[in-house]
Amino acid sequence: MEPIMSIKNYKPSETELEILQILWDKEKCTVREVHEILEQNKETGYTTTLKQMQVMHEKGLLSRDASSKIHIYKAEAGKEEVQQQILGKMIDTVYNGSAARLVMQALGNHTASDEEIDAIQKYLTQLRK
């Protein structure tokens, strides 16, 4: 199936991101499996989850293996690609294009572990080279 949208124009809903995250973590799932995970955090109907996943399939965000009675879904939108696209839009719209402001805000609002700080420092050192 040919996707009806480009990932560059993708503006995911909260539910779409939740479904993608589940599929990124699990790789492949049935609608029932996705629905059971979603229900742990919020009330939602099975048919709502089914319809959302069908729409995401039509958009080209998910692929569906329909070779058996139970359809198996897989994320076609790559995790890093979606994260980069969302982050880029956020930097442009919320932080006026300043990645530094985003990083300072993120580090100021959340406690980073020593390992995370070390990884950030290593990355910053590589950027300077």
Side-chain angles (χ1 to χ4, degrees):
M1 166 174 273
E2 192 67 31
I4 62 172
M5 68 173 11
S6 163
I7 195 67
K8 291 183 173 134
N9 298 323
Y10 176 49
K11 294 178 184 171
S13 69
E14 183 178 332
T15 301
E16 286 177 333
L17 283 173
E18 289 170 342
I19 290 170
L20 284 171
Q21 187 63 53
I22 291 166
L23 291 170
W24 289 328
D25 289 345
K26 304 282 185 183
E27 293 186 28
K28 297 178 182 180
C29 286
T30 64
V31 174
R32 174 73 53 205
E33 291 167 330
V34 170
H35 176 69
E36 288 173 358
I37 294 169
L38 287 175
E39 268 199 321
Q40 293 173 6
N41 297 320
K42 67 180 180 180
E43 259 186 64
T44 186
Y46 175 83
T47 55
T48 302
T49 303
L50 172 62
K51 183 63 178 169
Q52 183 68 55
M53 291 178 70
Q54 289 171 336
V55 168
M56 291 174 72
H57 176 257
E58 290 170 11
K59 289 179 178 179
L61 300 172
L62 304 180
S63 61
R64 179 175 60 203
D65 178 358
S67 61
S68 67
K69 184 177 177 182
I70 298 172
H71 295 182
I72 306 293
Y73 286 84
K74 177 182 171 191
E76 287 299 318
K79 184 175 186 175
E80 286 185 19
E81 186 179 14
V82 171
Q83 288 174 336
Q84 287 174 355
Q85 204 273 338
I86 293 170
L87 188 58
K89 282 189 185 281
M90 183 188 302
I91 290 169
D92 289 343
T93 58
V94 177
Y95 295 96
N96 291 334
S98 174
R101 285 187 191 155
L102 169 76
V103 170
M104 288 185 283
Q105 182 81 35
L107 291 175
N109 288 345
H110 299 283
T111 304
S113 68
D114 288 341
E115 293 81 17
E116 290 172 321
I117 292 170
D118 289 344
I120 292 166
Q121 185 61 53
K122 182 178 177 182
Y123 183 71
L124 291 173
T125 301
Q126 289 174 343
L127 286 176
R128 288 184 186 256
K129 291 181 179 180

